[in-house]
Amino acid sequence: MSAAAPSAVPAKSSAPRDTARIYSIAELAREFAITARTIRFYEDEGLIKPRRQGLTRLYSVGDRTRLGWILRGKRLGFSLAEIKELLDLYHVDRTGNQQLRELLRRSRLHIDDLERKKRDLDAHIGEFREVETQVAAELKARGVDPEGDD
């Protein structure tokens, strides 16, 4: 979750990147389909730190990239504290290696947790299938259509 690049494998592009580009809160909100309030919340949480010009927030390319990673992290189930820690690792090790190792470690923990939850859900579904089969059989034995409305 490098603050400098939107992915661990940089995309190849023939267009030069405009690193001096500045974004307004409205532009970022529109681009990421979120509210300005959400962006201000992430700012309050210390996840992004735009420059200020009077009361106007000025977001850099780096802020935009961080916002993309914040939203991706949230979609993946990372807490805001985890996302902040991962993003902040880039400032400790500019190579991004430490950040990537930690992302790998935490991703594996999340995968393990999701796999456990999936097994639990599969077990619950299996139990309900048994109940479904038993109840349908009992209704049929009583001469009642299991799919009927009576």
Side-chain angles (χ1 to χ4, degrees), residues 7-41:
S7 100
V9 180
K12 292 181 181 173
S13 171
S14 58
R17 283 187 49 194
D18 185 2
T19 56
R21 171 91 160 84
I22 299 297
Y23 300 87
S24 71
I25 197 167
E27 287 175 305
L28 292 180
R30 206 170 25 257
E31 178 180 348
F32 289 102
I34 58 176
T35 64
R37 184 176 181 181
T38 299
I39 296 171
R40 287 191 299 271
F41 173 76

Side-chain angles (χ1 to χ4, degrees), residues 6-136:
S7 100
V9 180
K12 292 181 181 173
S13 171
S14 58
R17 283 187 49 194
D18 185 2
T19 56
R21 171 91 160 84
I22 299 297
Y23 300 87
S24 71
I25 197 167
E27 287 175 305
L28 292 180
R30 206 170 25 257
E31 178 180 348
F32 289 102
I34 58 176
T35 64
R37 184 176 181 181
T38 299
I39 296 171
R40 287 191 299 271
F41 173 76
Y42 293 144
E43 183 182 344
D44 291 343
E45 293 296 311
L47 292 164
I48 51 177
K49 297 173 182 113
R51 284 188 353 232
R52 298 265 186 163
Q53 191 171 53
L55 295 177
T56 304
R57 292 169 169 86
L58 304 173
Y59 295 90
S60 68
V61 170
D63 293 323
R64 181 184 166 276
T65 301
R66 282 178 73 95
L67 182 57
W69 276 112
I70 293 164
L71 296 172
R72 183 172 190 203
K74 288 300 293 172
R75 279 192 311 273
L76 289 171
F78 287 106
S79 69
L80 288 181
E82 286 179 301
I83 292 167
K84 184 172 184 344
E85 289 171 14
L86 287 166
L87 289 171
D88 288 348
L89 280 175
Y90 184 73
H91 297 293
V92 175
D93 172 17
R94 290 287 188 174
T95 67
N97 292 336
Q98 187 176 351
Q99 184 184 46
L100 290 172
R101 280 191 195 106
E102 185 61 16
L103 177 58
L104 179 62
R105 186 186 74 77
R106 289 181 192 222
S107 292
R108 287 175 174 162
L109 289 173
H110 279 265
I111 289 168
D112 290 345
D113 184 52
L114 289 169
E115 293 283 358
R116 181 191 52 76
K117 288 177 181 176
K118 182 180 176 201
R119 285 190 301 273
D120 290 347
L121 283 171
D122 287 341
H124 281 100
I125 290 169
E127 288 181 49
F128 274 112
R129 296 260 188 246
E130 286 179 30
V131 168
E132 176 186 37
T133 300
Q134 291 170 356
V135 171

